[in-house]
Structure formats: C-alpha cells, structure tokens
Amino acid sequence: MRLGYFLLFLLLISCGPGYKNKAFEKLSSADKIKFEKYFIQGRDLYKTNCLSCHQKNGQGLKKLIPPLAGSDYLKNNQAKAAQLIMDGAWETIRVNGVDYKPTMPAHKHLTALEVAEILTYINNSWGNEYGLVDGNKAAEYLKRF
Amino acid sequence: MKLILFLSGVTAIFFISCSDSKPKKLPILGQSEYVETATGTDTIYHEIKPFSFIDQDSTIITNDTYKGKIYVTDFFFTTCPSICPLMKIQLLRVYDKYKDNPEVGILSHSIDPEYDDVKVLKDYAERLGVEKGMWHFVTGDKDKIYDMAQTSYYIGVRDDGSFEHSGKFALVDKERHIRGVYDGTDEKSVDKLLTDMEALLKEYHTK
C-alpha cells in the first residue's frame, strides 16, 4: 500500500503540473492524498470530455469557448459549474467580462465523484487555486438545482 | 574532437535543410481521366464542381469568389461538441498567416445549414475574431453541401444523425484541383498544410 502511494507520488512529480498550490498546502494530509488521486483522475476525464473545447491550457477559444484558466465564473460558482458539467449549458454565462452562448453539451454519463475529480483538476490547473471538491460536496452541488 | 563533431553536426543540418528547401511539386489528387486527342493523350484532372452558397455577410459565394486564389476548405457546424474547436484553432493559424494575402482564401461549410443560418454564422465568425473577407463561413442547401464534401473535396461527411465528420481540410489550387488533404485536428498535419501552401504559391510565382 505504501509502495502504491510512493509510486503515485513519483507519477505526480514526473507529470508535475503545479497543482501543489496554496489550496493544496492548506489541506489535512488525508485530504492531500484525496486531492492527488482526484487530480490525476480528473486530468484523464478532462482529456476525454473537455479538452477539445476548453483546450490543453484551459484557455478556451476566443469568444466561442470560455477559459477555465483564471475564470472568475468558475471561482465564484462552484455549484453551478458542477451542474453545468453534468447537464450542459442553459443560460448565457459571463466569464471575465465576456458573454458566451449556452452551447456546452451535457455529460450525463459522469458520476458525482467524476464531476468532483474534474472540478478538482480544473480548479487547480493553469494557475487556478480554487481547491479540492470531494465526492460528497459534488453530490450536494448536483442536488441543489 | 568536439569541434569536429560539432562541425559535422552543422553540415548535416545544413544538408538536410538544403534538400528540404527544394520542394517537389504537390500532386494533383483525385480521379484523373485520360482522353485521346489528335496530338496524343490529355489528362483531365479531377476538378471542384461549381457551387453557390451564402456566407456570414449574406454574400453569395461561388467558385468565382476564389478565382486567382488557392484556398483551404473544411466542413463543420457551430454547435459541434467534439472536434470543431480543434479544427478552428488550426484554421486560425492559416488565417493569421494569410489574412492579408489576396491569393489565399478559406471556405468553411456548415453541415448543419438549417441551424447555422447567416446570423448564427455571423456571430460565430465574430466570436472567432475573423474580420477580413478572406474567410467565408457558408450555409445553403444541405444536399448540395454534403455533395461537395463527398464528390468534390473527398472529405466525406455522413448524415447518420450524429453529424459524424472527418475533420479534414482540403487544399485547392487556382485551377480548382485538390493538392492536399490534411487532418484538421492534428497540429503536425496542419504544419504540413502551411508548408504545402508556401510551395503551391511558389509554383505560381516561378511560372
């Protein structure tokens, strides 16, 4: 088991995106481990579900697709973001002063845990420091609407 | 010793880059026909059929729009959930490089022309930051658009409800021959498109 974590640790440094941000440092050691697992899973899920639109670097595409990197919307609307990922877009969203059209598709095949993993990944990539979202939190977000 | 290694490295690079700088003429793609004439055989190359669509500025776009131009074409739709953003990022590279070159154009066909009307295409082009008239986003009769994809440009789209499409780009010369087909979702393939476009433009300038 120890070895497993050690390997996971090695994997994390070798793929080393700067996820060890302030949000990470504040966590308890148990949550740190959770964070790392979520982050790796989330990165894979992002690749298959989101990357073609929001791009490798989280920059989006001009005024067609909003950025996740540095997004004020993501920072301030975690519950809505969870809902958006699951159900797709239903309203115009303003990100960093630009209005986007509700063309984001639903991802109904994802579980609440997977939404949590994706949120943890996009919350803490490309300079974002929006912290861990665990499975229970995501389930709560998804029930809210 | 190190110096020799270094020098031979430099010469190798020199040779490689030199052999690269003499590009071969791009092939003409598609089914050619051979016809007997009084003086021998003539080759008739596959040619893009005449077309007429309408673009984001309500302008009628035909093959004449691209007279005296080489152009890159693709098939997409504005609400595409999968590969279109990737294709548009790659086409933006072509646009950024050639937007002030009157010999180059881009033609993006919507394969969902009922939804993608002039207004939707206008908004899409503006959101992409496309201003110059060299990049036309066109809509029109769906059957005609699909037919162009399948029988003129050979970059097939299928209408099986899911709008599955190939993500390919075709490069067309001033004689309306296809000179290359590229994977519009692959950066490397589009690198090749950009070098091929340079080579093709050179063909016209060294004649």
Side-chain angles (χ1 to χ4, degrees), chain B residues 76-116:
Chain B
F76 84 112
F77 56 111
T78 63
T79 52
C80 163
S82 54
I83 57 178
C84 302
L86 290 175
M87 292 165 69
K88 288 297 165 281
I89 284 181
Q90 294 305 322
L91 271 183
L92 276 169
R93 294 174 64 199
V94 177
Y95 175 75
D96 286 337
K97 183 164 174 197
Y98 290 110
K99 61 181 171 216
D100 297 318
N101 187 334
E103 276 181 284
V104 179
I106 306 177
L107 175 59
S108 288
H109 306 76
S110 170
I111 55 170
D112 184 11
E114 286 127 41
Y115 180 82
D116 290 340

Coordinates of all heavy atoms in Angstrom, one line a residue, chain B residues 76-116:
Chain B
F76 N -17.9 21.8 -41.0 CA -18.1 21.9 -39.5 C -19.5 22.3 -39.2 O -20.3 22.4 -40.1 CB -17.1 23.0 -39.0 CG -17.6 24.4 -39.1 CD1 -17.9 25.1 -38.0 CD2 -17.9 24.9 -40.4 CE1 -18.5 26.4 -38.1 CE2 -18.5 26.2 -40.5 CZ -18.8 26.9 -39.3
F77 N -19.8 22.5 -38.0 CA -21.1 23.2 -37.6 C -20.9 23.9 -36.3 O -20.0 23.5 -35.5 CB -22.3 22.2 -37.6 CG -22.2 21.0 -36.7 CD1 -22.9 20.9 -35.5 CD2 -21.3 20.0 -37.0 CE1 -22.9 19.8 -34.7 CE2 -21.2 18.8 -36.2 CZ -22.0 18.7 -35.1
T78 N -21.6 24.9 -36.1 CA -21.3 25.8 -34.9 C -21.6 25.2 -33.6 O -21.0 25.6 -32.6 CB -22.1 27.2 -35.0 OG1 -23.5 26.9 -34.9 CG2 -21.8 27.9 -36.3
T79 N -22.4 24.2 -33.5 CA -22.7 23.6 -32.2 C -22.0 22.3 -32.0 O -22.4 21.5 -31.1 CB -24.3 23.4 -32.1 OG1 -24.7 22.7 -33.2 CG2 -25.0 24.7 -32.0
C80 N -21.0 22.1 -32.8 CA -20.3 20.8 -32.8 C -19.6 20.6 -31.4 O -18.8 21.4 -31.0 CB -19.3 20.8 -33.9 SG -18.0 19.6 -33.8
P81 N -20.0 19.5 -30.7 CA -19.4 19.2 -29.4 C -18.0 18.6 -29.4 O -17.4 18.5 -28.4 CB -20.4 18.3 -28.8 CG -21.0 17.5 -30.0 CD -20.9 18.5 -31.1
S82 N -17.6 18.1 -30.6 CA -16.3 17.4 -30.5 C -15.1 18.1 -31.1 O -14.4 18.9 -30.5 CB -16.5 16.0 -31.1 OG -17.0 16.2 -32.5
I83 N -14.9 17.9 -32.4 CA -13.6 18.2 -32.9 C -13.5 19.6 -33.6 O -12.5 20.1 -33.9 CB -13.1 17.2 -34.0 CG1 -14.2 17.1 -35.1 CG2 -12.8 15.9 -33.4 CD1 -13.8 16.2 -36.2
C84 N -14.7 20.3 -33.7 CA -14.7 21.5 -34.4 C -13.8 22.6 -33.8 O -13.1 23.3 -34.5 CB -16.1 22.1 -34.7 SG -17.1 20.9 -35.6
P85 N -13.9 22.8 -32.5 CA -13.0 23.8 -31.9 C -11.5 23.6 -32.3 O -10.8 24.5 -32.6 CB -13.2 23.7 -30.4 CG -14.6 23.1 -30.3 CD -14.7 22.2 -31.5
L86 N -11.1 22.3 -32.2 CA -9.7 22.0 -32.6 C -9.4 22.4 -34.0 O -8.4 22.9 -34.3 CB -9.5 20.5 -32.4 CG -9.4 19.9 -31.0 CD1 -9.3 18.4 -31.0 CD2 -8.3 20.6 -30.2
M87 N -10.4 22.1 -34.9 CA -10.2 22.4 -36.3 C -10.1 23.9 -36.5 O -9.3 24.4 -37.3 CB -11.4 21.9 -37.2 CG -11.5 20.4 -37.2 SD -13.1 19.8 -37.8 CE -13.0 20.4 -39.5
K88 N -10.9 24.6 -35.7 CA -11.0 26.1 -35.9 C -9.7 26.7 -35.4 O -9.2 27.7 -35.9 CB -12.2 26.7 -35.2 CG -13.5 26.4 -36.0 CD -13.5 27.0 -37.4 CE -14.6 26.5 -38.3 NZ -14.2 25.2 -38.9
I89 N -9.1 26.1 -34.3 CA -7.8 26.6 -33.8 C -6.8 26.4 -34.9 O -5.9 27.3 -35.1 CB -7.4 25.9 -32.5 CG1 -8.3 26.4 -31.4 CG2 -5.9 26.0 -32.2 CD1 -8.0 25.8 -30.1
Q90 N -6.8 25.3 -35.6 CA -5.8 25.1 -36.7 C -6.1 26.0 -37.9 O -5.1 26.5 -38.5 CB -5.8 23.6 -37.1 CG -5.4 22.6 -36.0 CD -4.0 23.0 -35.4 OE1 -3.1 23.4 -36.2 NE2 -3.8 22.9 -34.1
L91 N -7.4 26.2 -38.2 CA -7.6 27.1 -39.3 C -7.3 28.5 -39.0 O -6.9 29.3 -39.9 CB -9.1 27.0 -39.7 CG -9.5 26.0 -40.8 CD1 -11.0 26.1 -41.1 CD2 -8.6 26.1 -42.0
L92 N -7.3 28.9 -37.7 CA -6.9 30.2 -37.3 C -5.4 30.5 -37.6 O -5.0 31.6 -37.9 CB -7.2 30.5 -35.8 CG -8.6 30.9 -35.5 CD1 -8.8 30.8 -34.0 CD2 -8.9 32.3 -36.0
R93 N -4.6 29.4 -37.6 CA -3.2 29.5 -38.0 C -3.1 29.9 -39.4 O -2.3 30.8 -39.8 CB -2.5 28.2 -37.7 CG -2.4 27.8 -36.3 CD -1.8 26.4 -36.1 NE -0.4 26.3 -36.6 CZ 0.2 25.2 -36.9 NH1 -0.4 24.0 -36.8 NH2 1.4 25.2 -37.3
V94 N -3.9 29.3 -40.3 CA -3.9 29.7 -41.7 C -4.4 31.1 -41.9 O -3.8 31.9 -42.6 CB -4.8 28.7 -42.5 CG1 -4.9 29.1 -44.0 CG2 -4.4 27.3 -42.4
Y95 N -5.4 31.4 -41.2 CA -6.0 32.8 -41.2 C -5.0 33.8 -40.8 O -4.7 34.8 -41.5 CB -7.3 32.9 -40.4 CG -7.9 34.2 -40.3 CD1 -8.6 34.8 -41.3 CD2 -7.7 35.0 -39.1 CE1 -9.1 36.1 -41.2 CE2 -8.2 36.3 -39.0 CZ -9.0 36.8 -40.1 OH -9.5 38.1 -40.0
D96 N -4.4 33.6 -39.6 CA -3.4 34.6 -39.1 C -2.2 34.8 -40.1 O -1.7 35.9 -40.2 CB -2.9 34.1 -37.7 CG -3.9 34.3 -36.7 OD1 -4.8 35.2 -36.9 OD2 -3.9 33.6 -35.6
K97 N -1.8 33.7 -40.7 CA -0.6 33.8 -41.6 C -1.0 34.5 -42.9 O -0.2 35.2 -43.5 CB -0.1 32.4 -41.9 CG 1.2 32.4 -42.7 CD 1.9 31.1 -42.7 CE 3.1 31.1 -43.6 NZ 3.6 29.7 -43.9
Y98 N -2.2 34.2 -43.5 CA -2.5 34.7 -44.8 C -3.6 35.7 -44.9 O -4.1 36.0 -46.0 CB -2.9 33.5 -45.7 CG -1.7 32.5 -45.9 CD1 -1.6 31.3 -45.4 CD2 -0.7 32.9 -46.8 CE1 -0.6 30.4 -45.6 CE2 0.4 32.1 -47.1 CZ 0.4 30.8 -46.4 OH 1.5 30.0 -46.7
K99 N -4.1 36.3 -43.8 CA -5.3 37.1 -43.9 C -5.1 38.3 -44.8 O -6.0 38.8 -45.4 CB -5.8 37.5 -42.5 CG -4.8 38.3 -41.7 CD -5.5 38.6 -40.3 CE -4.5 39.2 -39.4 NZ -4.6 38.8 -38.1
D100 N -3.8 38.8 -45.0 CA -3.6 39.9 -45.9 C -3.1 39.5 -47.2 O -2.7 40.4 -48.0 CB -2.6 40.9 -45.2 CG -3.1 41.4 -43.9 OD1 -4.3 41.8 -43.8 OD2 -2.3 41.4 -42.9
N101 N -3.1 38.2 -47.5 CA -2.6 37.8 -48.8 C -3.8 37.5 -49.8 O -4.6 36.6 -49.6 CB -1.8 36.5 -48.6 CG -1.2 36.0 -49.9 OD1 -1.6 36.3 -51.0 ND2 -0.1 35.3 -49.8
P102 N -3.9 38.4 -50.8 CA -5.1 38.3 -51.7 C -5.1 37.0 -52.5 O -6.1 36.7 -53.2 CB -4.9 39.5 -52.7 CG -3.5 39.8 -52.6 CD -3.0 39.4 -51.2
E103 N -4.0 36.2 -52.5 CA -4.0 34.9 -53.2 C -4.5 33.7 -52.4 O -4.4 32.6 -52.9 CB -2.6 34.6 -53.6 CG -2.1 35.3 -54.9 CD -0.7 34.9 -55.2 OE1 0.2 35.5 -54.5 OE2 -0.5 34.1 -56.1
V104 N -4.9 34.0 -51.2 CA -5.3 32.9 -50.3 C -6.7 33.1 -49.7 O -7.1 34.2 -49.3 CB -4.3 32.7 -49.1 CG1 -4.7 31.6 -48.2 CG2 -2.9 32.5 -49.7
G105 N -7.5 32.1 -49.7 CA -8.8 32.1 -49.0 C -9.1 30.9 -48.2 O -8.4 29.9 -48.2
I106 N -10.2 31.0 -47.3 CA -10.6 29.9 -46.5 C -12.1 29.8 -46.8 O -12.8 30.8 -46.8 CB -10.3 30.1 -45.0 CG1 -8.8 30.4 -44.8 CG2 -10.7 28.8 -44.3 CD1 -8.5 30.6 -43.3
L107 N -12.6 28.5 -46.8 CA -14.0 28.3 -47.1 C -14.5 27.2 -46.1 O -14.1 26.1 -46.2 CB -14.2 27.8 -48.5 CG -15.7 27.4 -48.9 CD1 -16.7 28.5 -48.7 CD2 -15.7 26.9 -50.4
S108 N -15.3 27.6 -45.1 CA -15.8 26.7 -44.1 C -17.3 26.5 -44.3 O -18.1 27.4 -44.2 CB -15.6 27.2 -42.7 OG -14.2 27.2 -42.3
H109 N -17.7 25.2 -44.6 CA -19.1 24.9 -44.9 C -19.7 24.4 -43.6 O -19.2 23.5 -43.0 CB -19.2 23.7 -45.9 CG -18.5 23.9 -47.2 ND1 -17.1 23.8 -47.3 CD2 -18.9 24.2 -48.4 CE1 -16.8 24.0 -48.6 NE2 -17.9 24.3 -49.3
S110 N -20.9 24.8 -43.4 CA -21.7 24.2 -42.3 C -22.4 23.0 -42.8 O -23.0 23.0 -43.8 CB -22.7 25.2 -41.7 OG -23.6 24.5 -40.8
I111 N -22.3 21.9 -42.0 CA -23.0 20.7 -42.4 C -24.3 20.6 -41.6 O -25.0 19.6 -41.6 CB -22.2 19.4 -42.2 CG1 -21.7 19.3 -40.7 CG2 -21.0 19.4 -43.1 CD1 -21.1 18.0 -40.4
D112 N -24.7 21.7 -40.9 CA -26.0 21.8 -40.2 C -26.6 23.1 -40.7 O -26.8 24.0 -39.8 CB -25.7 21.8 -38.7 CG -27.1 21.8 -37.9 OD1 -28.1 21.6 -38.5 OD2 -27.0 21.9 -36.7
P113 N -26.8 23.3 -42.0 CA -27.1 24.6 -42.5 C -28.5 25.1 -42.1 O -28.7 26.3 -42.1 CB -27.1 24.4 -44.0 CG -27.3 22.9 -44.2 CD -26.7 22.3 -43.0
E114 N -29.4 24.2 -41.6 CA -30.7 24.7 -41.2 C -30.5 25.5 -39.9 O -31.1 26.6 -39.7 CB -31.7 23.5 -40.9 CG -32.2 22.9 -42.2 CD -31.9 21.4 -42.3 OE1 -32.1 20.7 -41.3 OE2 -31.5 20.9 -43.3
Y115 N -29.7 25.0 -39.0 CA -29.5 25.8 -37.7 C -28.5 26.9 -38.0 O -28.7 28.0 -37.6 CB -28.9 24.8 -36.6 CG -28.7 25.6 -35.4 CD1 -29.7 25.9 -34.5 CD2 -27.4 26.1 -35.1 CE1 -29.5 26.6 -33.3 CE2 -27.2 26.8 -33.9 CZ -28.2 27.1 -33.1 OH -28.0 27.9 -31.9
D116 N -27.4 26.6 -38.7 CA -26.4 27.6 -39.0 C -26.8 28.5 -40.1 O -26.3 28.4 -41.2 CB -25.1 26.9 -39.3 CG -24.5 26.2 -38.1 OD1 -24.8 26.5 -37.0 OD2 -23.6 25.3 -38.3

